[in-house]
Amino acid sequence: MFKYNKLTIEGDNNIVLQDVDGQTITDSFENFLKKFTEEKDQRIASLERMVNMSESLSRLEVEKAGRELHDVRIEKEVLEKTVRKLVEDFNGKNLTETSGLYKQAFSLFTSGDLKTAIEVLNQRNIDDDLAEIEREERTAISKLEKSRSARRKLSEELAFKAQLLGVDSLIDQARQTFERAISIDRNIHTVGGYAFFLHFLQDYQNASELLVELLDTDLNNTEKAKVLNELGLIETAKNDFTGAAAHLSQALKLAGDNNDIHNLGMTNMNLGSVYTKLHNFESGLSSYLQAEKYLQDVLTHSVSDSNINSLALAKANSGWAYLELKQFEIAGTKYAEALNLFGDDRKE
């Protein structure tokens, strides 16, 4: 059975032990330490007597006793420091919720019975108990993952509802629904969707803040590139072309790392718009031509109205850049190619 379940240090020299009924006893550090040093105290006293009886012992015996006395005193000092440190570690700790073996060993420790305390702790099957803890942890993690997944799905459903409300021009209801979705789970669909909605409402400041916050969450590279692209578009709308170029360049690198040719095309197109707004038509043209290349590749693999329109827009933008650079013949060719693509789209 265990007796004490809590130890508290009071002042510089008192130890208070509390039993399971809440009753306390107070002892000095000095008396508490004597429980552990009793054997060494006895040995020290015996060796001191031997050294003091030098007239009845040989010089070698006295020297040997003196050396041993020195060693035992050091051992006692180390033992006292170790026990004091252990007591300090237990200061204020309540063992009520610990195992019976732990409490029993602690009570034995407070009585100075180290060997029995160790024997009690040796009864603990650490491997089996650890295996049980790990099983419980795996179960808890699995439950947490399911909970997180359910929370995310619910938030995404609300974000979808908010988008529908926005399309139906129910702006205030859409705002409230987005904010409710975000309160349930902050992810690319809720925060990103709300930022896109605010961008549409020209609330650029709040949209930017949401996207910057989103970048600090656990996004994959595709999601991060999407957020950076949206940030770039918002900053372009705000005439913050330096910020837009920086974020779009980051998005371009991520799209390249992922070999995402569609995003490479669209990001180059957005970056080209930034350069042309800065009247840097050479850089703008370079980005538009890169966009054409990637979007042509996209169209080769997947023919759709959306992909046709994207390539047509890239060609029209290239035509505009050539026009600004006074290369009228090439500009005309690009515009004609764009019109042909738009015509093909209408035929579809």
Side-chain angles (χ1 to χ4, degrees):
M1 287 293 295
F2 54 88
K3 184 175 182 182
Y4 300 115
N5 64 358
K6 188 174 181 181
L7 178 154
T8 307
I9 299 173
E10 282 191 354
D12 295 330
N13 195 43
N14 288 328
I15 294 173
V16 179
L17 293 172
Q18 178 180 296
D19 64 21
V20 293
D21 297 319
Q23 301 299 312
T24 62
I25 63 168
T26 302
D27 200 1
S28 68
F29 249 116
E30 183 179 357
N31 287 335
F32 188 82
L33 291 173
K34 283 180 179 179
K35 301 173 186 178
F36 301 91
T37 63
E38 182 178 359
E39 183 180 323
K40 295 192 182 298
D41 287 334
Q42 292 173 356
R43 184 57 181 159
I44 288 171
S46 174
L47 290 168
E48 286 176 340
R49 285 194 297 271
M50 290 178 65
V51 171
N52 292 332
M53 294 170 54
S54 57
E55 66 279 357
S56 61
L57 299 173
S58 68
R59 182 174 61 83
L60 290 176
E61 288 175 321
V62 172
E63 289 177 355
K64 180 181 178 183
R67 287 194 298 271
E68 187 177 349
L69 176 61
H70 175 266
D71 291 343
V72 175
R73 282 173 173 165
I74 291 176
E75 290 172 4
K76 177 186 175 182
E77 183 181 351
V78 171
L79 178 59
E80 287 177 335
K81 288 181 179 178
T82 303
V83 173
R84 183 178 285 272
K85 175 64 169 61
L86 191 52
V87 168
E88 289 171 352
D89 289 343
F90 271 110
N91 182 31
K93 185 183 293 186
N94 193 321
L95 304 183
T96 302
E97 300 300 323
T98 61
S99 71
L101 291 175
Y102 193 169
K103 289 191 280 270
Q104 185 180 351
F106 175 73
S107 290
L108 289 165
F109 162 71
T110 60
S111 67
D113 192 351
L114 292 178
K115 292 187 183 301
T116 308
I118 293 170
E119 289 173 3
V120 167
L121 291 174
N122 281 340
Q123 298 173 35
R124 182 81 157 175
N125 191 323
I126 297 298
D127 291 337
D128 286 351
D129 291 341
L130 179 59
E132 177 61 25
I133 290 170
E134 289 174 343
R135 279 194 295 272
E136 291 178 359
E137 286 175 341
R138 286 193 293 271
T139 300
I141 290 170
S142 176
K143 288 181 178 178
L144 182 60
E145 288 174 348
K146 288 179 181 177
S147 173
R148 285 174 175 168
S149 176
R151 179 177 284 273
R152 184 181 182 96
K153 288 175 182 176
L154 180 61
S155 72
E156 290 174 6
E157 182 179 324
L158 264 183
F160 174 58
K161 178 183 176 182
Q163 289 170 322
L164 295 181
L165 289 167
V167 172
D168 202 25
S169 299
L170 300 171
I171 304 303
D172 289 340
Q173 291 182 47
R175 280 181 181 273
Q176 293 168 6
T177 306
F178 267 124
E179 288 167 2
R180 180 70 174 124
I182 289 172
S183 73
I184 294 171
D185 190 58
R186 309 181 79 84
N187 58 63
I188 185 73
H189 300 285
T190 58
V191 178
Y194 192 26
F196 182 83
F197 176 70
L198 293 176
H199 179 187
F200 170 75
L201 297 178
Q202 298 183 1
D203 186 353
Y204 301 133
Q205 185 61 37
N206 285 320
S208 295
E209 289 174 1
L210 283 171
L211 292 173
V212 169
E213 173 193 317
L214 190 58
L215 284 174
D216 289 330
T217 61
D218 187 22
L219 301 178
N220 60 40
N221 280 355
T222 299
E223 292 170 335
K224 194 173 292 185
K226 181 179 179 180
V227 172
L228 288 165
N229 244 313
E230 183 66 14
L231 258 178
L233 291 173
I234 291 171
E235 285 159 341
T236 302
K238 291 165 58 180
N239 294 325
D240 178 9
F241 301 123
T242 301
H247 284 126
L248 290 171
S249 295
Q250 291 177 51
L252 201 60
K253 182 180 184 307
L254 289 172
D257 292 342
N258 291 341
N259 195 28
D260 185 343
I261 57 174
H262 181 266
N263 273 329
L264 280 168
M266 298 308 295
T267 305
N268 267 298
M269 185 129 66
N270 294 336
L271 193 56
S273 295
V274 173
Y275 289 136
T276 53
K277 287 179 185 295
L278 289 169
H279 298 281
N280 184 349
F281 297 108
E282 291 85 357
S283 295
L285 176 61
S286 176
S287 292
Y288 287 141
L289 291 175
Q290 285 292 313
E292 276 191 58
K293 183 185 76 171
Y294 290 119
L295 293 173
Q296 180 67 63
D297 197 8
V298 170
L299 188 59
T300 300
H301 291 89
S302 176
V303 177
S304 69
D305 290 350
S306 174
N307 290 339
I308 291 172
N309 287 337
S310 294
L311 179 58
L313 183 58
K315 287 182 177 293
N317 284 337
S318 296
W320 175 37
Y322 276 120
L323 191 64
E324 292 291 344
L325 292 170
K326 312 300 183 187
Q327 298 185 42
F328 303 115
E329 186 175 346
I330 303 177
T333 300
K334 289 294 180 183
Y335 279 129
E337 291 174 354
L339 287 171
N340 285 335
L341 284 168
F342 283 128
D344 289 343
D345 182 30
R346 285 193 296 273
K347 290 174 188 177
E348 292 292 330

